[in-house]
């Protein structure tokens, strides 16, 4: 007889709601006993942890009088609740919250496994990264974070498989931002040409939801740098923090100090056209070399050199042909002449939820 699995979910945005919907289609789902958003928490009564929360939307679930409703719980309270369940427990963190990410070691030491797309815990200070995995060993728990890099692309699992089977990683390069892939693919297509101005492309992408609410969160390169930091650490290149290597920001320096408020975002978008000439110059420089402009990250294992920024890439190459998708090329001892290439869309609520579900199923199989 299989052991019941008790599940807590934090975060009910686009990914969280899609994940809930997919949970409801499982043949043998875990027992959902905690559902939390930024201001409210829904949980099963203790000590029986029954009834379970239905796999439905938040509003419908809160109508159940048999469930406990409370204010937002602290990570320590959530960890205690899940660790006390009469069976193995899993936390699914759908947020990008640093405070919760810093609490992963606490969950793991108490035997609560963690599944998450939250990059913060794996790309902040190296001490937190090491503590997370040491705590999983200590608590006999599991940590799966495939979706922190490349969405559903099996980047991390592929790297771990290569290393576990004796391969040696030489170099990794790629584009790990779907937004910057889309913008630069429109700004300078791999085939043909475009006269579109950079600021107009950014504005349009923002309007249709292809950027973060504040486009500067895409343009500053920090999210890309976090992903590269995770890749480096997984293959054994210790990186202290995601700002400890060169990261080229596409935000004009004159606009970098604007407020992150709604007014600051509006001012940024209003003033950005004044700096289109800089991106036009970068495009012209690439064109003179008969190359294409792309925003690329790379890791050289032997030199420990890591960088993120604009590069001129060969026409006809996989990088040049990108138009919104992500790509990772892995050069190793076995794949020295021809790299192992992983490419795909990788992002979006439904797709990310699918990647989370795959991780959850792996954890459930191992715990049972």
């Amino acid at each position: 007889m299989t052991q019941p699995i008790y599940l807590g979910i934090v975060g009910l945005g686009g990914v969280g709601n899609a994940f809930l919907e997919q949970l409801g289609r499982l043949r043998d789902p875990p027992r959902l006993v905690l559902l939390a958003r930024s201001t409210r928490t829904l949980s099963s009564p203790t000590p029986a942890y029954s009834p379970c929360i239905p796999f439905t939307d938040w509003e419908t679930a809160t109508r159940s009088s048999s469930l406990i409703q409370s204010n937002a719980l602290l990570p320590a309270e959530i960890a205690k609740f899940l660790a006390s369940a009469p069976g193995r427990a899993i936390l699914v963190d759908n947020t990008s919250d640093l405070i919760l990410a810093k609490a992963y070691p606490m969950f793991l030491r108490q035997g609560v496994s963690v599944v998450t797309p939250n990059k913060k815990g794996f790309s902040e200070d190296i001490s937190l990264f090491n503590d997370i995995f040491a705590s999983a060993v200590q608590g006999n728990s599991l940590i799966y974070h495939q979706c922190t890099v490349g969405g559903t692309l099996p980047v991390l699992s592929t790297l771990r498989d290569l290393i576990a089977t004796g391969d040696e990683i030489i170099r990794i390069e790629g584009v790990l931002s779907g937004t910057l892939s889309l913008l630069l693919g429109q700004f300078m297509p791999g085939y043909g040409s475009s006269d579109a101005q950079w600021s107009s492309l950014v504005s349009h992408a923002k309007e249709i939801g292809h950027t973060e609410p504040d486009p500067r969160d895409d343009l500053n390169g920090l999210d890309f740098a976090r992903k590269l930091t995770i890749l480096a650490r997984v293959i054994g290149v210790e990186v202290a923090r995601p700002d400890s290597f060169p990261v080229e920001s596409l935000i004009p320096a004159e606009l970098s100090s604007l407020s992150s408020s709604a007014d600051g975002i509006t001012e940024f978008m209003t003033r950005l056209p004044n700096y289109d000439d800089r991106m036009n110059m970068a495009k012209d420089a690439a064109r003179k070399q008969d190359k294409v402009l792309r925003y690329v990250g790379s890791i050289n294992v032997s030199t420990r050199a890591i960088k993120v920024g604009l590069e001129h890439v060969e026409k006809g190459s996989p990088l040049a042909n990108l138009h919104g998708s992500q790509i990772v090329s892995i050069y190793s001892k076995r794949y020295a002449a021809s790299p192992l290439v992983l490419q795909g869309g990788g992002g979006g609520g439904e797709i990310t939820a699918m990647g989370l579900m795959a991780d959850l199923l792996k954890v459930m199989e191992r715990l049972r």
Side-chain angles (χ1 to χ4, degrees), residues 278-317:
R278 298 181 184 181
M279 287 299 290
N280 288 333
M281 290 173 62
K283 180 197 285 187
D284 289 341
R287 185 180 291 122
K288 287 178 180 178
Q289 297 183 37
D290 198 31
K291 294 186 177 182
V292 177
L293 191 66
R294 291 292 180 263
Y295 195 82
V296 182
S298 62
I299 304 169
N300 186 309
V301 176
S302 62
T303 64
R304 296 302 199 254
I306 305 173
K307 61 179 181 177
V308 178
L310 290 173
E311 289 190 12
H312 301 162
V313 303
E314 297 291 340
K315 286 185 175 179
S317 68

Side-chain angles (χ1 to χ4, degrees), residues 103-124:
Y104 290 167
M106 175 179 61
F107 282 88
L108 295 162
R109 283 193 297 269
Q110 295 183 57
V112 179
S113 296
V114 176
V115 172
T116 183
N118 187 346
K119 293 181 280 291
K120 301 287 178 66
F122 309 94
S123 60
E124 280 291 310

Side-chain angles (χ1 to χ4, degrees), residues 113-194:
S113 296
V114 176
V115 172
T116 183
N118 187 346
K119 293 181 280 291
K120 301 287 178 66
F122 309 94
S123 60
E124 280 291 310
D125 191 271
I126 185 66
S127 61
L128 175 58
F129 179 87
N130 292 333
D131 193 17
I132 286 172
F133 290 95
S135 297
V137 173
Q138 183 181 344
N140 191 29
S141 50
L142 302 171
I143 176 76
Y144 274 62
H145 61 108
Q146 181 77 251
C147 292
T148 56
V149 179
T152 56
L153 297 180
V155 180
L156 298 183
S157 59
T158 299
L159 286 171
R160 287 182 168 124
D161 286 346
L162 290 175
I163 294 169
T165 56
D167 204 354
E168 298 176 15
I169 308 300
I170 298 170
R171 179 165 58 94
I172 299 174
E173 68 175 16
V175 174
L176 291 168
S177 168
T179 300
L180 292 177
S181 169
L182 176 67
L183 288 171
L184 283 161
Q186 294 172 331
F187 184 63
M188 191 173 189
Y191 295 96
S193 61
S194 170

Side-chain angles (χ1 to χ4, degrees), residues 57-75:
D57 64 275
W58 172 265
E59 296 302 330
T60 302
T62 55
R63 296 192 191 111
S64 174
S65 59
S66 57
L67 298 172
I68 307 300
Q69 296 191 46
S70 60
N71 294 328
L73 298 180
L74 296 173

